[in-house]
């Protein structure tokens, strides 16, 4: 069945799906991804949300309450807190404490640097107390590529934060406290195969810094926001988009995260994923607040697509 | 400006098979097998290829293996060292022939 008019205008991705006899439809919703705001202490050059220190958009207490209420109503297997830098949002500790008992797995995405502040340090203790899983951004196992993407001085502060997390038990063998790393390439090229990259990260971080972690995930950069601006400025946009489309892997579609999750922004508005959130493509085609969500999307419901979806289906895919 | 080398030409590499498909097929099958992980990782092989690309000074190869090295997880420091290995061998190959020069000069000289 061909897709209806696409609010995001993603014809070519739709064509790629159709060419392989595929549709992008929802499965049972298991994950609630909560983007608590765009404030961040870094201005990473690949950020699809253009988060940074100048951004003031942050989730308020009322919206947090609506998120907590939603989590109580639907009991998601996993709740994924992201930003921006979640650590900068006032009352994040209250949100974390409230959500932890309402899900099997609460995870927080961190840029690592934000954990070095006083508030960040206190949050680390809270995360440990509640068994919160941490997913830390680290583009490379070397300073040059890390700082090219994330800013000067970030490498040392990231290493310090990882060492402290290890001290707390995160990412250590035989510890239940999970520390996973996420690596996005520091430029207009695709990420290395995940297994190879994980071996290299493990070897480099262990040998040079004594750092331990659980798993590494590699993801392609999404051509939105600040990364798209870089692609345009550097003359890489056309080539990068072609590379994403050429690398379309039909086997990745079944596991795409958008099939299993709902995404909510700092105002409580719903999206299919964080990338549609960045582009302003509503869940269900119209603005919907999480407080009014009466039921989870039915399996089989079509998911709107856009050209940036190619970033999730290249190589091993974004799952 | 017209030039013998254009980056987009690299994408036409497969066209060399048009008039000799069997030979091209064998070459590309061998080529792909060479770069598959074996005793060496794909990342290590890409670094070797980058060094050799600089030795043979093939712009197509430098373009292809710069990207390949980055996409296999190497960084510019490693890639630059690989090129220096090629440079050292290439320079050393010139310098070591000075042994011949010295031998001949000694034979000719009082």
């Amino acid at each position: 069945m061909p897709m209806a008019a696409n609010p995001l205008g993603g014809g070519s991705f739709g064509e790629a799906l159709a060419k392989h006899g595929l549709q992008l439809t929802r499965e049972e919703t298991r994950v609630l991804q909560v983007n608590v705001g765009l404030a961040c202490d870094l201005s990473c050059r690949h950020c699809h949300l253009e988060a940074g220190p100048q951004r003031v958009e942050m989730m308020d207490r009322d919206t947090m309450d609506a998120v907590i209420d939603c989590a109580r109503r639907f009991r998601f297997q996993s709740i994924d807190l992201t930003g921006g830098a979640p650590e900068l949002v006032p009352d994040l500790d209250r949100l974390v404490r409230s959500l932890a008992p309402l899900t099997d797995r609460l995870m927080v995405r961190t840029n690592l640097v934000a954990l070095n502040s006083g508030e960040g340090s206190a949050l680390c203790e809270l995360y440990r107390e509640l068994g919160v899983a941490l997913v830390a951004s680290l583009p490379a196992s070397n300073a040059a590529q890390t700082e090219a993407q994330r800013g000067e001085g970030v490498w040392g502060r990231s290493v310090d934060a990882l060492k402290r997390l290890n001290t707390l038990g995160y990412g250590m063998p035989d510890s239940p406290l999970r520390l996973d790393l996420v690596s996005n390439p520091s430029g207009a090229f695709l990420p290395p195969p995940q297994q190879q990259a994980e071996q290299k990260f493990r070897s480099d971080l262990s040998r040079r810094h004594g750092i331990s972690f659980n798993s590494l995930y590699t993801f392609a950069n999404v051509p939105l926001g600040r990364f798209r601006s870089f692609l345009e400025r550097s003359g890489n946009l056309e080539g990068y988009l072609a590379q994403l489309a050429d690398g379309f892997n039909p086997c990745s579609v079944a596991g795409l995260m958008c099939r299993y999750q709902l995404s909510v922004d700092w105002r409580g508005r719903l999206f299919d994923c964080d990338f549609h959130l960045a582009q302003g493509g509503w869940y269900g085609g119209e603005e919907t607040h999480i407080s009014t969500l009466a039921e989870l999307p039915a399996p089989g419901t079509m998911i709107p697509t856009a050209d940036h979806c190619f970033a999730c289906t290249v190589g091993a895919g974004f799952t | 400006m017209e030039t013998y080398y254009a980056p987009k030409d690299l994408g036409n590499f497969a066209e060399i098979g048009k008039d000799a498909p069997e030979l091209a097929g064998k070459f590309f099958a061998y080529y792909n097998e060479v770069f598959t992980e074996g005793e060496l990782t794909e990342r290590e092989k890409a670094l070797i290829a980058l060094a050799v690309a600089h030795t043979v000074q093939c712009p197509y190869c430098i373009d292809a293996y710069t990207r390949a090295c980055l996409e296999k997880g190497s960084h510019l420091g490693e890639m630059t060292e690989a090129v220096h290995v090629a440079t050292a061998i290439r320079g050393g190959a010139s310098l070591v022939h000075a042994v011949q020069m010295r031998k001949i000069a000694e034979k000719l000289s009082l």
Side-chain angles (χ1 to χ4, degrees):
Chain A
M1 179 180 93
M3 283 194 66
N6 187 337
L8 297 171
S12 62
F13 185 78
E15 286 162 15
L17 289 172
K19 183 179 162 190
H20 291 87
L22 296 169
Q23 292 182 324
L24 190 59
T25 55
R26 286 194 159 274
E27 288 287 336
E28 184 187 353
T29 303
R30 303 192 298 248
V31 180
L32 179 66
Q33 184 174 57
V34 185
N35 191 312
V36 293
L38 304 181
C40 190
D41 44 358
L42 302 180
S43 296
C44 298
R45 297 180 70 196
H46 75 306
C47 184
H48 61 278
L49 290 159
E50 300 187 83
Q54 76 287 357
R55 303 300 294 263
V56 295
E57 301 94 327
M58 288 186 276
M59 189 172 278
D60 61 21
R61 285 178 71 104
D62 288 346
T63 308
M64 287 181 182
D65 287 340
V67 168
I68 294 161
D69 187 53
C70 178
R72 194 173 286 121
R73 286 201 307 279
F74 295 113
R75 185 75 205 188
F76 296 93
Q77 278 181 27
S78 177
I79 297 179
D80 170 0
L81 300 185
T82 186
E87 296 87 351
L88 302 189
V89 178
D91 298 322
L92 184 81
D93 54 344
R94 176 175 162 270
L95 181 66
V96 167
R97 275 194 189 282
S98 302
L99 290 177
L102 300 178
T103 182
D104 300 337
R105 181 174 188 263
L106 179 62
M107 57 184 271
V108 178
R109 294 177 192 257
T110 177
N111 68 14
L112 289 172
V113 171
L115 295 177
N116 290 326
S117 67
E119 295 85 352
S121 186
L123 281 167
C124 286
E125 298 289 347
L126 178 67
Y127 296 156
R128 180 173 67 165
E129 176 196 332
L130 300 173
V132 173
L134 293 179
V135 179
S137 297
L138 193 70
S141 57
N142 64 85
Q145 286 181 313
T146 298
E147 297 194 353
Q149 182 192 99
R150 305 179 79 71
E152 197 176 337
V154 167
W155 171 252
R157 288 185 285 164
S158 298
V159 167
D160 290 347
L162 286 168
K163 285 179 175 175
R164 203 155 53 80
L165 289 172
N166 279 174
T167 304
L168 291 170
Y170 271 97
M172 300 301 285
D174 306 321
S175 168
L177 296 169
R178 219 177 151 81
L179 171 62
D180 294 328
L181 304 182
V182 168
S183 165
N184 289 81
S186 55
F189 50 91
L190 297 182
Q194 205 158 271
Q195 195 178 0
Q196 291 174 27
E198 184 178 288
Q199 285 172 354
K200 186 165 192 292
F201 269 66
R202 202 176 297 288
S203 165
D204 289 352
L205 292 177
S206 170
R207 185 163 42 94
R208 295 176 186 158
H209 306 285
I211 288 168
S212 174
F213 64 92
N214 293 107
S215 296
L216 174 85
Y217 299 100
T218 60
F219 296 129
N221 288 314
V222 180
L224 292 172
R226 207 174 279 135
F227 187 65
R228 192 178 187 93
S229 300
F230 156 75
L231 291 171
E232 289 169 347
R233 268 199 326 274
S234 60
N236 281 303
L237 180 63
E238 189 183 348
Y240 187 71
L241 294 180
Q243 197 179 13
L244 292 183
D246 290 347
F248 178 78
N249 174 11
C251 299
S252 69
V253 174
L256 291 180
M257 62 178 181
C258 57
R259 304 188 70 211
Y260 305 93
Q261 73 163 33
L262 272 175
S263 193
V264 55
D265 76 350
W266 62 279
R267 283 180 175 168
R269 302 171 303 180
L270 293 171
F271 301 85
D272 291 284
C273 71
D274 206 52
F275 307 125
H276 283 10
L277 183 157
Q279 209 189 34
W282 307 116
Y283 161 71
E286 59 184 18
E287 184 171 348
T288 307
H289 195 270
I290 193 168
S291 59
T292 67
L293 186 71
E295 55 186 14
L296 294 178
T301 305
M302 297 293 283
I303 301 169
T305 61
D307 284 351
H308 62 247
C309 296
F310 279 120
C312 293
T313 54
V314 67
F318 198 143
T319 56
Chain B
M1 186 186 76
E2 198 169 23
T3 170
Y4 283 106
Y5 287 116
K8 65 176 172 35
D9 290 345
L10 179 57
N12 302 327
F13 191 11
E15 287 183 13
I16 61 108
K18 277 183 177 172
D19 294 299
E22 284 189 21
L23 289 175
K26 286 176 177 173
F27 171 78
F28 286 120
Y30 164 77
Y31 189 99
N32 291 331
E33 188 66 29
V34 164
F35 282 96
T36 301
E37 177 150 357
E39 296 298 328
L40 297 172
T41 64
E42 290 182 5
R43 192 180 78 87
E44 289 164 339
K45 289 181 178 184
L47 283 167
I48 294 168
L50 183 73
V52 175
H54 282 77
T55 304
V56 298
Q57 293 180 320
C58 167
Y60 298 127
C61 309
I62 292 169
D63 184 344
Y65 284 97
T66 298
R67 176 179 290 276
C69 283
L70 290 169
E71 293 189 342
K72 300 293 179 196
S74 293
H75 59 84
L76 209 46
E78 294 169 314
M79 292 154 67
T80 305
E81 279 189 22
V83 173
H84 275 293
V85 171
T87 305
I89 294 296
R90 201 169 189 187
S94 293
L95 199 58
V96 74
H97 280 78
V99 173
Q100 300 297 323
M101 172 193 75
R102 295 186 64 80
K103 199 164 65 175
I104 293 163
E106 282 168 9
K107 185 180 177 183
L108 294 173
S109 301
L110 289 170

